[in-house]
Amino acid sequence: GIRGEHYSLWNNADEIQLTNYPVMNPRVNIIATPLRNKGILDALSFNAGSGLYSSLSKNIASIEKKFLIEKFTLIPDTVWTSSAGTNISFTNGVIVKLEGYYKHYLSRTYMYADKRDGEHITYYTCTDGKGYAAGSDVMIEKKINGWLDGYVTYSFLYARYYNPASPQYDSQTTIRGVPTTGAREQANGDPLGIWYYPEFHRFHTVNAVLNFRLPKETVITISGSFATGNPRKQYIDKSKEFFEGNYTNPGLNENLYLVLYSDTLRNLSDWPIDIRFSKKGTFENKKHTWEWYVGIENITGFFNELYKMDKMRQENAYYSNSGWQIGEGLLTIDMGFFPIPSIGVKMQF
């Protein structure tokens, strides 16, 4: 098939009118099922697809005039995606899914600012961002059949992005968040002029959900995940040079640390685990059902953060979060890292 897209944006208050040339995105997807009901196999299928996908950047959707350079051309973010996989269904209710994919970013929108003169900040909006991502997914699922069901998934991802604009000073980065009046412009975004791992990038991710089905409509659900660390920025203490009057940089944070991208530093792995106990039943009218449950989310969160703090302290690394503090100096822990209990009742009539 083929999909056409055209965008027009108006902001009368800021006297902005943006229109792009229509874009055409061809796509093809093929699914073949050569085997059905053969021995232990319920079905064996293969799929492959490729195509172009476009979308309007969320930053562009709420942009202000100050972010538009002269002769700005509205170009949607466009990515060429290709994938191939297989789906194997067994007669005992087990399903195995395998997929590999590649994404090539033809255009990506990013914004940055020159803040060397705090009273006259210059903003830039560019649509020449590049990038690529390659990965694979594996899923083993067992449907409801007996006392145990659930699934286990594994994902691998390798992704690199590139913002071609040349940095005007060493700590200059893109701007995060939607840059509108009253909105907070988040510093320490993505680097300029180099290939980098995006902030969300994690090489390996494992997710699992197991449902233990006990008698009398009672279910114990254990879910968890393991994800290797995402990129971590390096913090360079510039307080001595600053107080001596020998150094100034728009990238200095409130603690006089210079925050720079690192291609090698990574945060530690995350491994949250949840548990849930539920029981279902019916009223006299069998069409009316009830369910109650109790659960605890992120059982391992607090211990995980204590482990991270200890490792960061050993590495003499800067680690900070806003919120309730434990420990000393720059090392803090948020209340959100504690396990979260929950209880609920659901009725259907």
Side-chain angles (χ1 to χ4, degrees), residues 81-126:
T81 301
S82 297
S83 64
T86 183
N87 190 325
I88 308 172
S89 300
F90 296 91
T91 54
N92 62 355
V94 175
I95 300 175
V96 179
K97 298 180 181 179
L98 307 172
E99 184 180 52
Y101 61 88
Y102 175 79
K103 297 182 178 181
H104 183 75
Y105 294 87
L106 303 176
S107 63
R108 287 177 40 258
T109 302
Y110 61 97
M111 302 176 179
Y112 66 99
D114 181 1
K115 298 184 178 181
R116 288 174 294 181
D117 183 351
E119 295 183 358
H120 300 89
I121 299 176
T122 303
Y123 295 92
Y124 303 88
T125 300
C126 303

mmCIF file of all heavy atoms in Angstrom, residues 81-126:
data_model
loop_
_atom_site.group_PDB
_atom_site.id
_atom_site.type_symbol
_atom_site.label_atom_id
_atom_site.label_comp_id
_atom_site.label_asym_id
_atom_site.label_seq_id
_atom_site.Cartn_x
_atom_site.Cartn_y
_atom_site.Cartn_z
ATOM 1 N N THR A 81 11.657 1.492 7.688
ATOM 2 C CA THR A 81 11.646 0.334 8.580
ATOM 3 C C THR A 81 11.509 -0.955 7.783
ATOM 4 O O THR A 81 10.668 -1.057 6.892
ATOM 5 C CB THR A 81 10.477 0.435 9.588
ATOM 6 O OG1 THR A 81 10.613 1.631 10.351
ATOM 7 C CG2 THR A 81 10.465 -0.759 10.520
ATOM 8 N N SER A 82 12.325 -1.935 8.133
ATOM 9 C CA SER A 82 12.232 -3.268 7.548
ATOM 10 C C SER A 82 12.256 -4.296 8.662
ATOM 11 O O SER A 82 12.972 -4.130 9.657
ATOM 12 C CB SER A 82 13.392 -3.532 6.575
ATOM 13 O OG SER A 82 13.360 -2.639 5.484
ATOM 14 N N SER A 83 11.463 -5.351 8.512
ATOM 15 C CA SER A 83 11.402 -6.381 9.547
ATOM 16 C C SER A 83 11.108 -7.735 8.921
ATOM 17 O O SER A 83 10.553 -7.826 7.828
ATOM 18 C CB SER A 83 10.319 -6.049 10.587
ATOM 19 O OG SER A 83 9.037 -6.048 9.991
ATOM 20 N N ALA A 84 11.486 -8.782 9.637
ATOM 21 C CA ALA A 84 11.206 -10.152 9.210
ATOM 22 C C ALA A 84 11.101 -11.012 10.463
ATOM 23 O O ALA A 84 11.808 -10.787 11.455
ATOM 24 C CB ALA A 84 12.300 -10.687 8.294
ATOM 25 N N GLY A 85 10.198 -11.995 10.426
ATOM 26 C CA GLY A 85 10.029 -12.827 11.610
ATOM 27 C C GLY A 85 9.254 -14.088 11.322
ATOM 28 O O GLY A 85 8.829 -14.348 10.190
ATOM 29 N N THR A 86 9.078 -14.856 12.385
ATOM 30 C CA THR A 86 8.321 -16.098 12.273
ATOM 31 C C THR A 86 7.482 -16.290 13.524
ATOM 32 O O THR A 86 7.819 -15.786 14.603
ATOM 33 C CB THR A 86 9.266 -17.306 12.084
ATOM 34 O OG1 THR A 86 8.500 -18.492 11.909
ATOM 35 C CG2 THR A 86 10.175 -17.478 13.291
ATOM 36 N N ASN A 87 6.382 -17.023 13.363
ATOM 37 C CA ASN A 87 5.459 -17.297 14.460
ATOM 38 C C ASN A 87 5.160 -18.798 14.453
ATOM 39 O O ASN A 87 4.650 -19.322 13.466
ATOM 40 C CB ASN A 87 4.172 -16.483 14.282
ATOM 41 C CG ASN A 87 3.287 -16.541 15.509
ATOM 42 O OD1 ASN A 87 3.216 -17.553 16.195
ATOM 43 N ND2 ASN A 87 2.592 -15.446 15.777
ATOM 44 N N ILE A 88 5.504 -19.473 15.554
ATOM 45 C CA ILE A 88 5.314 -20.920 15.647
ATOM 46 C C ILE A 88 4.319 -21.204 16.763
ATOM 47 O O ILE A 88 4.571 -20.879 17.929
ATOM 48 C CB ILE A 88 6.642 -21.652 15.938
ATOM 49 C CG1 ILE A 88 7.718 -21.220 14.934
ATOM 50 C CG2 ILE A 88 6.447 -23.156 15.901
ATOM 51 C CD1 ILE A 88 9.096 -21.744 15.271
ATOM 52 N N SER A 89 3.189 -21.804 16.423
ATOM 53 C CA SER A 89 2.162 -22.160 17.408
ATOM 54 C C SER A 89 2.104 -23.674 17.558
ATOM 55 O O SER A 89 1.968 -24.398 16.568
ATOM 56 C CB SER A 89 0.792 -21.626 16.966
ATOM 57 O OG SER A 89 0.814 -20.221 16.845
ATOM 58 N N PHE A 90 2.214 -24.140 18.800
ATOM 59 C CA PHE A 90 2.150 -25.560 19.084
ATOM 60 C C PHE A 90 0.763 -25.935 19.598
ATOM 61 O O PHE A 90 0.018 -25.098 20.110
ATOM 62 C CB PHE A 90 3.215 -25.942 20.117
ATOM 63 C CG PHE A 90 4.624 -25.740 19.636
ATOM 64 C CD1 PHE A 90 5.284 -24.541 19.858
ATOM 65 C CD2 PHE A 90 5.293 -26.745 18.953
ATOM 66 C CE1 PHE A 90 6.588 -24.340 19.422
ATOM 67 C CE2 PHE A 90 6.591 -26.572 18.505
ATOM 68 C CZ PHE A 90 7.240 -25.361 18.736
ATOM 69 N N THR A 91 0.447 -27.204 19.490
ATOM 70 C CA THR A 91 -0.886 -27.674 19.882
ATOM 71 C C THR A 91 -1.108 -27.615 21.389
ATOM 72 O O THR A 91 -2.254 -27.639 21.849
ATOM 73 C CB THR A 91 -1.099 -29.113 19.396
ATOM 74 O OG1 THR A 91 -0.024 -29.942 19.876
ATOM 75 C CG2 THR A 91 -1.132 -29.177 17.872
ATOM 76 N N ASN A 92 -0.038 -27.548 22.185
ATOM 77 C CA ASN A 92 -0.194 -27.483 23.638
ATOM 78 C C ASN A 92 -0.379 -26.068 24.159
ATOM 79 O O ASN A 92 -0.330 -25.813 25.368
ATOM 80 C CB ASN A 92 1.002 -28.132 24.321
ATOM 81 C CG ASN A 92 2.311 -27.422 24.011
ATOM 82 O OD1 ASN A 92 2.350 -26.485 23.215
ATOM 83 N ND2 ASN A 92 3.390 -27.879 24.620
ATOM 84 N N GLY A 93 -0.577 -25.096 23.254
ATOM 85 C CA GLY A 93 -0.825 -23.722 23.669
ATOM 86 C C GLY A 93 0.408 -22.859 23.769
ATOM 87 O O GLY A 93 0.308 -21.687 24.155
ATOM 88 N N VAL A 94 1.564 -23.381 23.430
ATOM 89 C CA VAL A 94 2.800 -22.605 23.464
ATOM 90 C C VAL A 94 3.013 -21.918 22.116
ATOM 91 O O VAL A 94 2.839 -22.531 21.057
ATOM 92 C CB VAL A 94 4.012 -23.507 23.796
ATOM 93 C CG1 VAL A 94 5.313 -22.712 23.701
ATOM 94 C CG2 VAL A 94 3.855 -24.106 25.189
ATOM 95 N N ILE A 95 3.374 -20.642 22.160
ATOM 96 C CA ILE A 95 3.631 -19.850 20.961
ATOM 97 C C ILE A 95 5.034 -19.270 21.053
ATOM 98 O O ILE A 95 5.419 -18.689 22.079
ATOM 99 C CB ILE A 95 2.607 -18.716 20.802
ATOM 100 C CG1 ILE A 95 1.185 -19.285 20.701
ATOM 101 C CG2 ILE A 95 2.919 -17.867 19.580
ATOM 102 C CD1 ILE A 95 0.114 -18.208 20.667
ATOM 103 N N VAL A 96 5.798 -19.399 19.991
ATOM 104 C CA VAL A 96 7.145 -18.827 19.908
ATOM 105 C C VAL A 96 7.171 -17.814 18.773
ATOM 106 O O VAL A 96 6.800 -18.134 17.640
ATOM 107 C CB VAL A 96 8.206 -19.920 19.678
ATOM 108 C CG1 VAL A 96 9.594 -19.293 19.565
ATOM 109 C CG2 VAL A 96 8.174 -20.947 20.801
ATOM 110 N N LYS A 97 7.610 -16.593 19.090
ATOM 111 C CA LYS A 97 7.692 -15.534 18.085
ATOM 112 C C LYS A 97 9.125 -15.021 18.001
ATOM 113 O O LYS A 97 9.755 -14.742 19.036
ATOM 114 C CB LYS A 97 6.754 -14.378 18.441
ATOM 115 C CG LYS A 97 5.284 -14.751 18.476
ATOM 116 C CD LYS A 97 4.414 -13.551 18.844
ATOM 117 C CE LYS A 97 2.938 -13.932 18.893
ATOM 118 N NZ LYS A 97 2.081 -12.768 19.268
ATOM 119 N N LEU A 98 9.625 -14.903 16.786
ATOM 120 C CA LEU A 98 10.962 -14.373 16.533
ATOM 121 C C LEU A 98 10.857 -13.248 15.521
ATOM 122 O O LEU A 98 10.150 -13.375 14.519
ATOM 123 C CB LEU A 98 11.895 -15.461 15.992
ATOM 124 C CG LEU A 98 12.010 -16.753 16.802
ATOM 125 C CD1 LEU A 98 12.819 -17.792 16.027
ATOM 126 C CD2 LEU A 98 12.668 -16.481 18.146
ATOM 127 N N GLU A 99 11.559 -12.140 15.767
ATOM 128 C CA GLU A 99 11.507 -11.015 14.827
ATOM 129 C C GLU A 99 12.812 -10.246 14.865
ATOM 130 O O GLU A 99 13.414 -10.050 15.929
ATOM 131 C CB GLU A 99 10.339 -10.082 15.147
ATOM 132 C CG GLU A 99 10.193 -8.948 14.143
ATOM 133 C CD GLU A 99 9.031 -8.022 14.460
ATOM 134 O OE1 GLU A 99 8.967 -7.553 15.611
ATOM 135 O OE2 GLU A 99 8.209 -7.769 13.561
ATOM 136 N N GLY A 100 13.262 -9.795 13.712
ATOM 137 C CA GLY A 100 14.390 -8.897 13.594
ATOM 138 C C GLY A 100 13.984 -7.684 12.788
ATOM 139 O O GLY A 100 13.110 -7.765 11.915
ATOM 140 N N TYR A 101 14.588 -6.540 13.067
ATOM 141 C CA TYR A 101 14.175 -5.324 12.373
ATOM 142 C C TYR A 101 15.356 -4.362 12.223
ATOM 143 O O TYR A 101 16.367 -4.450 12.929
ATOM 144 C CB TYR A 101 13.035 -4.618 13.116
ATOM 145 C CG TYR A 101 13.390 -4.185 14.521
ATOM 146 C CD1 TYR A 101 13.971 -2.945 14.766
ATOM 147 C CD2 TYR A 101 13.150 -5.026 15.609
ATOM 148 C CE1 TYR A 101 14.304 -2.549 16.050
ATOM 149 C CE2 TYR A 101 13.483 -4.644 16.901
ATOM 150 C CZ TYR A 101 14.060 -3.408 17.111
ATOM 151 O OH TYR A 101 14.418 -3.020 18.382
ATOM 152 N N TYR A 102 15.199 -3.447 11.273
ATOM 153 C CA TYR A 102 16.185 -2.389 11.059
ATOM 154 C C TYR A 102 15.428 -1.102 10.731
ATOM 155 O O TYR A 102 14.486 -1.114 9.935
ATOM 156 C CB TYR A 102 17.131 -2.728 9.906
ATOM 157 C CG TYR A 102 18.084 -1.603 9.572
ATOM 158 C CD1 TYR A 102 19.211 -1.379 10.348
ATOM 159 C CD2 TYR A 102 17.840 -0.754 8.493
ATOM 160 C CE1 TYR A 102 20.084 -0.346 10.056
ATOM 161 C CE2 TYR A 102 18.708 0.289 8.190
ATOM 162 C CZ TYR A 102 19.828 0.484 8.977
ATOM 163 O OH TYR A 102 20.681 1.524 8.698
ATOM 164 N N LYS A 103 15.840 0.000 11.367
ATOM 165 C CA LYS A 103 15.230 1.303 11.117
ATOM 166 C C LYS A 103 16.307 2.299 10.714
ATOM 167 O O LYS A 103 17.340 2.394 11.380
ATOM 168 C CB LYS A 103 14.501 1.816 12.367
ATOM 169 C CG LYS A 103 13.332 0.957 12.812
ATOM 170 C CD LYS A 103 12.643 1.564 14.029
ATOM 171 C CE LYS A 103 11.446 0.733 14.459
ATOM 172 N NZ LYS A 103 10.753 1.326 15.635
ATOM 173 N N HIS A 104 16.036 3.008 9.635
ATOM 174 C CA HIS A 104 16.962 4.039 9.160
ATOM 175 C C HIS A 104 16.221 5.373 9.158
ATOM 176 O O HIS A 104 15.245 5.549 8.423
ATOM 177 C CB HIS A 104 17.459 3.715 7.748
ATOM 178 C CG HIS A 104 18.468 4.691 7.241
ATOM 179 N ND1 HIS A 104 19.772 4.708 7.668
ATOM 180 C CD2 HIS A 104 18.351 5.696 6.331
ATOM 181 C CE1 HIS A 104 20.425 5.675 7.054
ATOM 182 N NE2 HIS A 104 19.589 6.294 6.235
ATOM 183 N N TYR A 105 16.679 6.297 10.008
ATOM 184 C CA TYR A 105 16.010 7.590 10.148
ATOM 185 C C TYR A 105 16.524 8.544 9.074
ATOM 186 O O TYR A 105 17.690 8.939 9.081
ATOM 187 C CB TYR A 105 16.254 8.171 11.541
ATOM 188 C CG TYR A 105 15.618 7.360 12.640
ATOM 189 C CD1 TYR A 105 16.291 6.291 13.222
ATOM 190 C CD2 TYR A 105 14.331 7.654 13.086
ATOM 191 C CE1 TYR A 105 15.698 5.536 14.223
ATOM 192 C CE2 TYR A 105 13.737 6.913 14.092
ATOM 193 C CZ TYR A 105 14.425 5.854 14.654
ATOM 194 O OH TYR A 105 13.846 5.113 15.643
ATOM 195 N N LEU A 106 15.638 8.905 8.153
ATOM 196 C CA LEU A 106 15.998 9.807 7.061
ATOM 197 C C LEU A 106 15.952 11.264 7.497
ATOM 198 O O LEU A 106 16.687 12.103 6.966
ATOM 199 C CB LEU A 106 15.055 9.580 5.877
ATOM 200 C CG LEU A 106 15.011 8.139 5.347
ATOM 201 C CD1 LEU A 106 13.977 8.018 4.239
ATOM 202 C CD2 LEU A 106 16.383 7.701 4.843
ATOM 203 N N SER A 107 15.078 11.587 8.422
ATOM 204 C CA SER A 107 14.999 12.950 8.958
ATOM 205 C C SER A 107 14.468 12.889 10.382
ATOM 206 O O SER A 107 13.551 12.125 10.681
ATOM 207 C CB SER A 107 14.097 13.833 8.084
ATOM 208 O OG SER A 107 12.764 13.348 8.069
ATOM 209 N N ARG A 108 15.075 13.687 11.250
ATOM 210 C CA ARG A 108 14.655 13.806 12.644
ATOM 211 C C ARG A 108 14.739 15.269 13.047
ATOM 212 O O ARG A 108 15.704 15.958 12.727
ATOM 213 C CB ARG A 108 15.544 12.975 13.577
ATOM 214 C CG ARG A 108 15.373 11.491 13.524
ATOM 215 C CD ARG A 108 16.361 10.774 14.442
ATOM 216 N NE ARG A 108 16.549 11.453 15.707
ATOM 217 C CZ ARG A 108 17.614 12.221 16.008
ATOM 218 N NH1 ARG A 108 18.582 12.397 15.132
ATOM 219 N NH2 ARG A 108 17.705 12.807 17.169
ATOM 220 N N THR A 109 13.734 15.748 13.750
ATOM 221 C CA THR A 109 13.717 17.141 14.189
ATOM 222 C C THR A 109 14.392 17.262 15.557
ATOM 223 O O THR A 109 14.151 16.461 16.456
ATOM 224 C CB THR A 109 12.276 17.655 14.291
ATOM 225 O OG1 THR A 109 11.636 17.522 13.015
ATOM 226 C CG2 THR A 109 12.245 19.114 14.723
ATOM 227 N N TYR A 110 15.254 18.262 15.688
ATOM 228 C CA TYR A 110 15.859 18.554 16.988
ATOM 229 C C TYR A 110 16.024 20.061 17.125
ATOM 230 O O TYR A 110 16.055 20.798 16.141
ATOM 231 C CB TYR A 110 17.204 17.836 17.151
ATOM 232 C CG TYR A 110 18.258 18.226 16.137
ATOM 233 C CD1 TYR A 110 19.234 19.185 16.443
ATOM 234 C CD2 TYR A 110 18.295 17.642 14.871
ATOM 235 C CE1 TYR A 110 20.199 19.544 15.520
ATOM 236 C CE2 TYR A 110 19.261 17.993 13.944
ATOM 237 C CZ TYR A 110 20.213 18.945 14.275
ATOM 238 O OH TYR A 110 21.161 19.305 13.349
ATOM 239 N N MET A 111 16.107 20.524 18.354
ATOM 240 C CA MET A 111 16.232 21.950 18.648
ATOM 241 C C MET A 111 17.384 22.173 19.615
ATOM 242 O O MET A 111 17.654 21.336 20.473
ATOM 243 C CB MET A 111 14.931 22.479 19.259
ATOM 244 C CG MET A 111 13.705 22.296 18.394
ATOM 245 S SD MET A 111 12.209 22.839 19.249
ATOM 246 C CE MET A 111 10.985 22.535 17.980
ATOM 247 N N TYR A 112 18.051 23.289 19.468
ATOM 248 C CA TYR A 112 19.112 23.641 20.398
ATOM 249 C C TYR A 112 19.203 25.156 20.504
ATOM 250 O O TYR A 112 18.568 25.884 19.726
ATOM 251 C CB TYR A 112 20.451 23.031 19.983
ATOM 252 C CG TYR A 112 21.035 23.555 18.691
ATOM 253 C CD1 TYR A 112 22.035 24.524 18.697
ATOM 254 C CD2 TYR A 112 20.598 23.075 17.451
ATOM 255 C CE1 TYR A 112 22.586 25.003 17.518
ATOM 256 C CE2 TYR A 112 21.140 23.546 16.266
ATOM 257 C CZ TYR A 112 22.129 24.510 16.305
ATOM 258 O OH TYR A 112 22.661 24.979 15.128
ATOM 259 N N ALA A 113 19.969 25.630 21.483
ATOM 260 C CA ALA A 113 20.052 27.070 21.729
ATOM 261 C C ALA A 113 21.484 27.462 22.056
ATOM 262 O O ALA A 113 22.236 26.690 22.657
ATOM 263 C CB ALA A 113 19.123 27.472 22.878
ATOM 264 N N ASP A 114 21.850 28.670 21.653
ATOM 265 C CA ASP A 114 23.129 29.263 22.017
ATOM 266 C C ASP A 114 22.889 30.148 23.229
ATOM 267 O O ASP A 114 22.283 31.215 23.126
ATOM 268 C CB ASP A 114 23.684 30.073 20.847
ATOM 269 C CG ASP A 114 25.051 30.691 21.170
ATOM 270 O OD1 ASP A 114 25.557 30.479 22.289
ATOM 271 O OD2 ASP A 114 25.600 31.392 20.282
ATOM 272 N N LYS A 115 23.357 29.704 24.395
ATOM 273 C CA LYS A 115 23.082 30.408 25.650
ATOM 274 C C LYS A 115 24.319 31.082 26.222
ATOM 275 O O LYS A 115 24.382 31.370 27.418
ATOM 276 C CB LYS A 115 22.492 29.427 26.667
ATOM 277 C CG LYS A 115 21.175 28.819 26.223
ATOM 278 C CD LYS A 115 20.581 27.921 27.291
ATOM 279 C CE LYS A 115 19.236 27.360 26.847
ATOM 280 N NZ LYS A 115 18.617 26.504 27.882
ATOM 281 N N ARG A 116 25.300 31.363 25.385
ATOM 282 C CA ARG A 116 26.505 32.017 25.882
ATOM 283 C C ARG A 116 26.209 33.441 26.359
ATOM 284 O O ARG A 116 26.853 33.934 27.290
ATOM 285 C CB ARG A 116 27.575 32.028 24.791
ATOM 286 C CG ARG A 116 28.188 30.654 24.524
ATOM 287 C CD ARG A 116 29.128 30.676 23.338
ATOM 288 N NE ARG A 116 28.429 30.940 22.076
ATOM 289 C CZ ARG A 116 29.030 30.982 20.897
ATOM 290 N NH1 ARG A 116 30.341 30.770 20.816
ATOM 291 N NH2 ARG A 116 28.330 31.213 19.795
ATOM 292 N N ASP A 117 25.254 34.093 25.738
ATOM 293 C CA ASP A 117 24.784 35.396 26.189
ATOM 294 C C ASP A 117 23.400 35.188 26.779
ATOM 295 O O ASP A 117 22.416 35.035 26.058
ATOM 296 C CB ASP A 117 24.735 36.380 25.021
ATOM 297 C CG ASP A 117 24.319 37.786 25.468
ATOM 298 O OD1 ASP A 117 23.913 37.943 26.643
ATOM 299 O OD2 ASP A 117 24.378 38.714 24.640
ATOM 300 N N GLY A 118 23.313 35.156 28.109
ATOM 301 C CA GLY A 118 22.065 34.844 28.778
ATOM 302 C C GLY A 118 20.937 35.807 28.477
ATOM 303 O O GLY A 118 19.763 35.441 28.608
ATOM 304 N N GLU A 119 21.262 37.019 28.060
ATOM 305 C CA GLU A 119 20.223 38.015 27.780
ATOM 306 C C GLU A 119 19.759 37.952 26.338
ATOM 307 O O GLU A 119 18.710 38.512 26.003
ATOM 308 C CB GLU A 119 20.756 39.417 28.102
ATOM 309 C CG GLU A 119 21.060 39.615 29.591
ATOM 310 C CD GLU A 119 21.509 41.033 29.886
ATOM 311 O OE1 GLU A 119 21.610 41.834 28.918
ATOM 312 O OE2 GLU A 119 21.751 41.335 31.060
ATOM 313 N N HIS A 120 20.521 37.324 25.478
ATOM 314 C CA HIS A 120 20.140 37.225 24.070
ATOM 315 C C HIS A 120 20.382 35.791 23.598
ATOM 316 O O HIS A 120 21.412 35.487 22.988
ATOM 317 C CB HIS A 120 20.943 38.216 23.207
ATOM 318 C CG HIS A 120 20.744 39.645 23.596
ATOM 319 N ND1 HIS A 120 21.532 40.270 24.548
ATOM 320 C CD2 HIS A 120 19.826 40.575 23.180
ATOM 321 C CE1 HIS A 120 21.128 41.515 24.688
ATOM 322 N NE2 HIS A 120 20.099 41.728 23.877
ATOM 323 N N ILE A 121 19.459 34.933 23.925
ATOM 324 C CA ILE A 121 19.575 33.518 23.570
ATOM 325 C C ILE A 121 19.073 33.310 22.145
ATOM 326 O O ILE A 121 18.001 33.812 21.767
ATOM 327 C CB ILE A 121 18.769 32.639 24.547
ATOM 328 C CG1 ILE A 121 19.311 32.810 25.966
ATOM 329 C CG2 ILE A 121 18.819 31.178 24.131
ATOM 330 C CD1 ILE A 121 18.522 32.056 27.017
ATOM 331 N N THR A 122 19.859 32.580 21.362
ATOM 332 C CA THR A 122 19.481 32.280 19.984
ATOM 333 C C THR A 122 19.039 30.830 19.882
ATOM 334 O O THR A 122 19.767 29.926 20.333
ATOM 335 C CB THR A 122 20.663 32.519 19.027
ATOM 336 O OG1 THR A 122 21.115 33.873 19.173
ATOM 337 C CG2 THR A 122 20.237 32.285 17.585
ATOM 338 N N TYR A 123 17.861 30.609 19.295
ATOM 339 C CA TYR A 123 17.315 29.265 19.182
ATOM 340 C C TYR A 123 17.393 28.776 17.737
ATOM 341 O O TYR A 123 17.296 29.555 16.790
ATOM 342 C CB TYR A 123 15.857 29.236 19.648
ATOM 343 C CG TYR A 123 15.683 29.536 21.119
ATOM 344 C CD1 TYR A 123 15.459 30.848 21.557
ATOM 345 C CD2 TYR A 123 15.732 28.523 22.063
ATOM 346 C CE1 TYR A 123 15.304 31.129 22.903
ATOM 347 C CE2 TYR A 123 15.572 28.799 23.414
ATOM 348 C CZ TYR A 123 15.359 30.098 23.824
ATOM 349 O OH TYR A 123 15.205 30.380 25.152
ATOM 350 N N TYR A 124 17.563 27.461 17.600
ATOM 351 C CA TYR A 124 17.651 26.841 16.286
ATOM 352 C C TYR A 124 16.753 25.605 16.235
ATOM 353 O O TYR A 124 16.666 24.850 17.207
ATOM 354 C CB TYR A 124 19.086 26.419 15.968
ATOM 355 C CG TYR A 124 20.098 27.541 16.025
ATOM 356 C CD1 TYR A 124 20.737 27.867 17.222
ATOM 357 C CD2 TYR A 124 20.419 28.265 14.887
ATOM 358 C CE1 TYR A 124 21.675 28.889 17.280
ATOM 359 C CE2 TYR A 124 21.353 29.300 14.929
ATOM 360 C CZ TYR A 124 21.975 29.598 16.136
ATOM 361 O OH TYR A 124 22.896 30.615 16.178
ATOM 362 N N THR A 125 16.109 25.407 15.092
ATOM 363 C CA THR A 125 15.314 24.197 14.846
ATOM 364 C C THR A 125 15.810 23.568 13.546
ATOM 365 O O THR A 125 15.858 24.242 12.513
ATOM 366 C CB THR A 125 13.819 24.528 14.723
ATOM 367 O OG1 THR A 125 13.366 25.121 15.937
ATOM 368 C CG2 THR A 125 13.015 23.262 14.463
ATOM 369 N N CYS A 126 16.170 22.295 13.616
ATOM 370 C CA CYS A 126 16.722 21.596 12.449
ATOM 371 C C CYS A 126 15.947 20.303 12.196
ATOM 372 O O CYS A 126 15.398 19.704 13.123
ATOM 373 C CB CYS A 126 18.199 21.270 12.658
ATOM 374 S SG CYS A 126 19.233 22.705 13.018
#
